[in-house]
Amino acid sequence: MKVVAFINKSIQRKMFFYLILATVFPTAAIGICSYLISIDILKTKVSESVTESLGFIKNGIENEMKQVEQISSYMYINNDIRKILAKDFVENTPESYYAMVKASEAFSLYSIHSRNFSYISSIQVLGENGVNLLYGEETGNFYRKNLKEMKTNAWYDEAEQLNGKIYWVGKDDNYNDPSKVAGKKQLISMARTIKDMNMVDNVGMIYISFDNSMFQEMLRNSSIQKGGKILVIDNHDEVVYTSEDFDLDRGKRSLSQIKGQQKQQGYLLDSDTADKQLTAYYYISRYGWWVMETLPYNELIKDNKLIFKVTITVFLVCLLVSGLIWYLLAYKFVKPIKDLIVTMRSIKEGQLVAKAKIQSDDEIGVLSNSFNYMIDRIHILFMKVLEEQEMKKNAEYKALQAQINPHFLFNTLNSIRWMAIIQKADNIKDTIDTLGRLLENSTNSVEPFICIEDEIQNVKDYLSIQKMRYKDKFDVVFEIEPQLLQCLCIKFMLQPLVENAIFHGIEPKPGFGTIQITARLVGNDVHMIVRDDGMGMDEQRIEEILNDKEQTKQGLNGIGIQNVNERMKMTYGEAYGITIRSRLQEFTEIELLLPVQYTAKEDLWEHA
């Protein structure tokens, strides 16, 4: 609270504080957004780089497996091997011996030209005729000594249905079973049937197993990210290769998520555990295998610290520079204001001739000039007030001398009335009575509102006097809804309208005329209409009547139509007032619109 109070005591401090805030928030927002975007871009680029690198590994694995397929294809089309596996092949004869030698030479010759042959652990060609061709250092470790035993495997029927096409068995259970072969490497196997010389009947099965160290040799020459680990899973969801210390359970969970995405390549961020990691993957569609690479999250964003330091440095430098600029700007802006305050204090202490000495063309300069002008005007007005007070005293004295006592006027009219009674001049008596009531209503009551019933009575008194003047020139019809008689309206609201109807409508008209006065309730508003069938008027004359202020000096009480219109708008609002409709030589209709009100409110009294 003390800090807030300290800042609020000075415009300069408030300006500097708010300008700093205006700098800090956008700069911080930009810095944070830039940092987050940079981190996101970094993660995306590293992830794409890992995925791209994994694509090369995937292609390498696919090429290595194609090499193994080529070995099987070579065995598949070799005629010497087909002869040995033929049904009429007889062992232990010179011809059979020669065929066996030719087959062995074929194995040896191909092993010389195939770079992957060194990873082949065993090649078994098992014939339906009982002849078995075995090649490789691991063949002695197998218990498959004939085709009959091989047929007991679950995969055999599937391989046979492929009719000579390659079937990838995957991880070799027979070899990898510790109870059967202990301390050996993991082998991956493939199988395909072999046809006779006419390519019609199956005469045997080719079964090739190779060491998964073939992948390790290939991966050694690949660009794997630091901390990255490789996992290869076959088409049976069995792990055929993995880097050291690979979390297989986590890898299989990631594979389930990958399959759910139904994509053949990409990456995902595994955040299920405390140690986040990126998992990039590729699907080897030719074999139905998956190759995956995992990378710790820390390796993925290891460059974010540099980005963070750069962002903070730029933010602090911008804050320091902008803070200095804002301070100088606030000082330069506030200094003229402080000078103006010094001048004001001098005036407060009684130096009324003090002036601000600020010379500038900006808003502060305008304020200073206005202040000096105000001081000059105050001095002039002060002297003028003294002069007007003196003149007012003289005017009040003269007004007291010229004032006519209203009671004297009423007493005089009363004397004339009694003279009319004595002379039995009833028409003069009635006229004086009517005039007396009108003068009494005009002078005695200071209240601005009267009820419509009293206003109508004033109009009737006025019309009584005018009928004495115009004899049988016109007639008046009143149509007032009874529920409106006690509704309040502005005093002397109807009389100027009736006066206008007589002087400008009925009097110039040849013959007899009629004035109709109506009042009706429409919703929450009162519509009062004064209509005459006199001479009428054009639009120009209507505009003159509504805007001519000089007419207020005419008539019984000096109140004109324009004055009534202004008083209604000031009292009730702009939505209310007078509307004039007229047609030359036909009629004039003046409508007053006012709200229904039975009790005068204080605010309306003030406006009135």
Side-chain angles (χ1 to χ4, degrees):
M1 294 301 292
K2 291 183 178 180
V3 175
V4 175
F6 175 75
I7 293 174
N8 288 333
K9 286 182 179 180
S10 170
I11 293 179
Q12 182 177 349
R13 287 194 287 266
K14 285 196 287 187
M15 283 185 62
F16 178 72
F17 176 74
Y18 290 127
L19 289 172
I20 286 294
L21 286 182
T23 302
V24 168
F25 285 116
T27 306
I30 293 172
I32 293 172
C33 291
S34 300
Y35 174 74
L36 295 177
I37 292 172
S38 300
I39 293 300
D40 188 61
I41 293 174
L42 177 64
K43 289 192 293 185
T44 302
K45 292 295 183 182
V46 174
S47 301
E48 291 176 351
S49 175
V50 172
T51 305
E52 184 179 358
S53 174
L54 188 63
F56 291 112
I57 296 174
K58 169 254 184 185
N59 293 334
I61 293 175
E62 192 170 11
N63 290 332
E64 296 293 340
M65 295 176 71
K66 286 180 181 179
Q67 292 290 326
V68 177
E69 288 183 341
Q70 289 179 1
I71 296 175
S72 71
S73 297
Y74 178 78
M75 304 299 170
Y76 183 79
I77 63 175
N78 189 278
N79 290 331
D80 293 323
I81 295 176
R82 290 182 178 182
K83 289 179 182 179
I84 294 173
L85 300 180
K87 293 180 180 180
D88 55 355
F89 181 78
V90 180
E91 293 185 282
N92 300 321
T93 63
E95 291 80 3
S96 65
Y97 175 76
Y98 179 74
M100 296 290 285
V101 170
K102 292 283 288 183
S104 178
E105 288 177 354
F107 281 114
S108 300
L109 180 63
Y110 193 85
S111 66
I112 294 173
H113 297 287
S114 176
R115 63 179 178 84
N116 286 336
F117 218 83
S118 59
Y119 298 106
I120 300 299
S121 296
S122 66
I123 300 176
Q124 301 178 75
V125 182
L126 308 179
E128 294 283 355
N129 58 5
V131 178
N132 299 326
L133 300 179
L134 305 177
Y135 181 86
E137 60 181 8
E138 301 291 348
T139 53
N141 294 322
F142 285 88
Y143 71 93
R144 302 188 188 100
K145 299 304 182 181
N146 54 58
L147 188 60
K148 183 178 180 181
E149 293 181 7
M150 184 176 286
K151 289 183 179 181
T152 61
N153 290 279
W155 54 264
Y156 186 86
D157 291 337
E158 295 182 35
E160 191 174 34
Q161 289 175 5
L162 292 177
N163 198 26
K165 295 181 180 180
I166 297 173
Y167 177 82
W168 282 92
V169 179
K171 190 169 66 172
D172 195 318
D173 293 332
N174 291 296
Y175 181 82
N176 294 309
D177 190 345
S179 64
K180 297 174 182 175
V181 182
K184 299 296 183 180
K185 297 178 181 179
Q186 182 169 291
L187 298 183
I188 297 96
S189 301
M190 57 154 289
R192 69 187 301 180
T193 57
I194 188 169
K195 299 291 184 177
D196 58 11
M197 296 297 290
N198 297 322
M199 300 295 291
V200 177
D201 297 326
N202 292 333
V203 295
M205 178 71 71
I206 300 174
Y207 191 86
I208 301 176
S209 300
F210 62 91
D211 193 342
N212 67 350
S213 61
M214 178 177 68
F215 298 141
Q216 187 174 4
E217 185 67 23
M218 181 201 66
L219 293 173
R220 187 179 296 117
N221 300 320
S222 301
S223 56
I224 301 176
Q225 292 278 349
K226 181 182 178 181
K229 297 178 182 180
I230 301 296
L231 176 66
V232 181
I233 298 177
D234 65 10
N235 53 322
H236 303 295
D237 290 343
E238 293 289 340
V239 177
V240 296
Y241 176 81
T242 179
S243 300
E244 293 182 4
D245 302 327
F246 195 99
D247 189 345
L248 292 180
D249 292 336
R250 187 173 183 178
K252 290 184 177 181
R253 288 197 303 270
S254 298
L255 181 61
S256 298
Q257 296 179 22
I258 291 169
K259 288 183 176 180
Q261 293 182 350
Q262 297 182 349
K263 295 180 181 179
Q264 294 194 357
Q265 67 182 65
Y267 59 87
L268 58 86
L269 185 63
D270 178 13
S271 57
D272 291 341
T273 55
D275 53 332
K276 296 181 180 180
Q277 69 176 20
L278 172 74
T279 301
Y281 59 88
Y282 254 99
Y283 180 65
I284 308 176
S285 57
R286 181 183 178 93
Y287 307 112
W289 286 27
W290 291 90
V291 55
M292 301 163 56
E293 181 179 356
T294 61
L295 185 68
Y297 185 77
N298 293 333
E299 289 294 326
L300 183 66
I301 58 171
K302 63 181 179 181
D303 294 332
N304 71 322
K305 293 182 179 179
L306 177 61
I307 298 175
F308 180 76
K309 290 179 180 178
V310 171
T311 303
I312 290 297
T313 302
V314 172
F315 172 75
L316 293 176
V317 170
C318 291
L319 183 62
L320 181 63
V321 173
S322 61
L324 179 61
I325 294 173
W326 294 139
Y327 178 80
L328 295 176
L329 181 63
Y331 175 78
K332 185 176 180 180
F333 179 80
V334 173
K335 187 178 184 302
I337 299 177
K338 289 183 176 180
D339 294 340
L340 188 58
I341 291 174
V342 172
T343 303
M344 290 179 177
R345 286 175 179 170
S346 300
I347 294 174
K348 182 180 179 181
E349 292 171 358
Q351 300 179 17
L352 300 180
V353 294
K355 297 289 184 69
K357 299 178 181 180
I358 300 173
Q359 301 296 329
S360 62
D361 297 328
D362 56 11
E363 289 82 355
I364 302 298
V366 173
L367 180 63
S368 175
N369 293 334
S370 300
F371 177 77
N372 291 337
Y373 175 78
M374 181 186 67
I375 294 300
D376 292 337
R377 290 293 299 167
I378 289 175
H379 182 71
I380 293 172
L381 292 174
F382 179 74
M383 300 304 296
K384 188 175 181 179
V385 167
L386 293 178
E387 183 180 352
E388 287 179 351
Q389 285 180 348
E390 184 66 24
M391 293 174 63
K392 184 178 179 181
K393 289 180 180 178
N394 295 333
E396 288 177 352
Y397 177 74
K398 292 179 180 180
L400 287 173
Q401 288 180 334
Q403 188 177 27
I404 299 176
N405 191 337
H407 293 286
F408 173 76
L409 180 60
F410 291 140
N411 291 334
T412 302
L413 288 175
N414 194 38
S415 297
I416 297 172
R417 175 177 175 274
W418 280 107
M419 290 172 64
I421 292 173
I422 294 172
Q423 297 295 328
K424 296 183 179 181
D426 294 336
N427 55 346
I428 297 176
K429 168 188 171 292
D430 294 339
T431 303
I432 291 174
D433 288 341
T434 302
L435 179 60
R437 286 197 299 272
L438 282 175
L439 290 175
E440 184 177 7
N441 289 332
S442 299
T443 58
N444 288 352
S445 177
V446 296
E447 295 181 356
F449 295 101
I450 61 174
C451 63
I452 291 178
E453 184 177 14
D454 292 339
E455 181 70 6
I456 295 296
Q457 184 59 49
N458 288 339
V459 171
K460 289 180 178 180
D461 290 340
Y462 174 76
L463 288 170
S464 178
I465 296 174
Q466 294 299 334
K467 282 187 176 183
M468 293 293 295
R469 173 182 176 183
Y470 290 101
K471 302 296 181 180
D472 296 328
K473 180 66 176 176
F474 65 88
D475 193 12
V476 181
V477 178
F478 290 90
E479 295 181 3
I480 311 298
E481 293 184 359
Q483 67 267 32
L484 297 179
L485 291 177
Q486 297 305 314
C487 181
L488 295 180
C489 67
I490 297 175
K491 190 175 182 181
F492 286 108
M493 183 175 66
L494 285 175
Q495 183 272 329
L497 277 60
V498 175
E499 185 175 354
N500 180 80
I502 295 173
F503 291 156
H504 300 289
I506 301 299
E507 183 179 8
K509 175 185 176 180
F512 188 79
T514 301
I515 299 174
Q516 185 177 9
I517 301 174
T518 63
R520 67 183 187 276
L521 179 64
V522 180
N524 293 322
D525 296 327
V526 178
H527 292 253
M528 300 187 73
I529 300 174
V530 178
R531 178 187 176 95
D532 68 81
D533 56 359
M535 298 300 294
M537 63 185 79
D538 56 18
E539 293 294 331
Q540 181 178 356
R541 180 56 183 158
I542 294 174
E543 193 70 23
E544 290 176 356
I545 291 175
L546 289 175
N547 296 309
D548 185 11
K549 296 184 179 180
E550 292 299 322
Q551 64 171 316
T552 60
K553 298 179 181 179
Q554 304 171 0
L556 171 68
N557 49 23
I559 298 175
I561 295 177
Q562 189 268 349
N563 179 279
V564 174
N565 190 36
E566 282 189 352
R567 286 194 297 145
M568 291 184 69
K569 291 185 178 297
M570 290 175 60
T571 303
Y572 302 122
E574 289 296 325
Y576 299 95
I578 290 177
T579 303
I580 301 178
R581 295 180 289 274
S582 182
R583 190 177 302 162
L584 285 172
Q585 306 300 326
E586 292 188 18
F587 73 93
T588 297
E589 185 176 274
I590 304 178
E591 181 177 4
L592 295 92
L593 179 65
L594 62 151
V596 174
Q597 185 179 353
Y598 292 97
T599 302
K601 298 180 181 178
E602 292 182 1
D603 55 345
L604 292 181
W605 278 88
E606 291 174 1
H607 285 300

